[in-house]
Amino acid sequence: MVRGAESERRTRPATSTSSGRELRLVAGDSYASWEAVYRDNVTWVYALMFGKVGNKPDAEDLTAEVFMAALKPLRITASAPEVRAYLRATARTVLAAHWKARMGREITAIEGDIADDPPEQLPDSGAEGRAKAVLAELPDRYRAILELRFLQGLSVKEAAQSMGVTVANAKVLQHRALQMASQLNEGGAR
């Protein structure tokens, strides 16, 4: 994706060769359009965000935020290295805001070079298997509240309605279910 987008930088036609292919000189000093800026840089910005947050949905959202934040102040006439530097600074700001909102803590360090492509598949940590084993050992109501809340992403109120209990009861069930799940996990549920 990055290599193909470089041809969208400002170009000027040259002569045709005997094979019928047209040669074009690519000026590396600026981009021809905003689309070219995006195509040339989206892969490494996404890889950076994926490496920092570890999941595709957040990485995609943060990548979009970086480009939206950079759109107005970024000059199309800026050189490719200037654009990359600006996008890197914008990515640091977006990432800091993300971690502050998520964890109450700003993490702004972005070091080293970034791979062009995120890993297609993350190594299996065994967490999914452990979670399934723990859920299987829980009583039905505890398993139900945890599945509704954390696997289906329902609010406490929605989970309570689904289970036919009060919100207070759903909170108690969730608390007790998490305690039991923690004990089962520490006990080595497999």
Side-chain angles (χ1 to χ4, degrees):
M1 188 180 258
V2 172
R3 287 161 197 62
E6 288 182 19
S7 66
E8 291 184 7
R9 289 191 190 144
R10 295 188 187 206
T11 60
R12 40 178 201 223
T15 60
S16 296
T17 63
S18 60
S19 66
R21 287 186 268 168
E22 183 179 316
L23 297 176
R24 298 179 343 167
L25 297 175
V26 177
D29 56 1
S30 64
Y31 291 96
S33 67
W34 287 112
E35 184 177 351
V37 170
Y38 178 80
R39 287 184 189 222
D40 194 32
N41 295 288
V42 68
T43 304
W44 73 261
V45 172
Y46 174 79
L48 171 68
M49 293 303 173
F50 185 83
K52 295 297 181 182
V53 298
N55 67 71
K56 289 182 180 182
D58 283 344
E60 290 168 357
D61 290 346
L62 292 172
T63 300
E65 282 185 47
V66 167
F67 283 97
M68 291 304 291
L71 185 62
K72 274 192 175 187
L74 187 61
R75 292 175 292 118
I76 193 81
T77 58
S79 69
E82 289 173 324
V83 168
R84 287 190 184 107
Y86 187 78
L87 288 173
R88 186 179 269 302
T90 305
R92 186 175 22 257
T93 302
V94 167
L95 195 58
H98 169 76
W99 286 121
K100 185 167 185 156
R102 279 280 167 97
M103 306 289 228
R105 180 174 165 216
E106 288 187 33
I107 301 173
T108 59
I110 297 177
E111 300 106 15
D113 292 332
I114 299 136
D116 282 341
D117 297 316
E120 287 299 318
Q121 206 158 28
L122 297 175
D124 184 19
S125 66
E128 183 179 348
R130 285 194 316 271
K132 285 180 181 179
V134 167
L135 282 172
E137 290 189 34
L138 291 174
D140 291 340
R141 291 173 60 84
Y142 287 2
R143 180 176 41 257
I145 191 71
L146 293 181
E147 286 175 347
L148 290 170
R149 289 283 292 126
F150 301 109
L151 298 180
Q152 295 180 22
L154 299 181
S155 68
V156 175
K157 183 178 179 181
E158 293 167 332
Q161 287 174 344
S162 178
M163 293 181 70
V165 298
T166 65
V167 172
N169 192 351
K171 288 180 182 181
V172 170
L173 282 171
Q174 178 180 315
H175 176 74
R176 290 180 182 167
L178 287 171
Q179 280 185 321
M180 184 178 277
S182 175
Q183 291 169 354
L184 289 170
N185 189 43
E186 288 173 3
R190 299 257 180 235

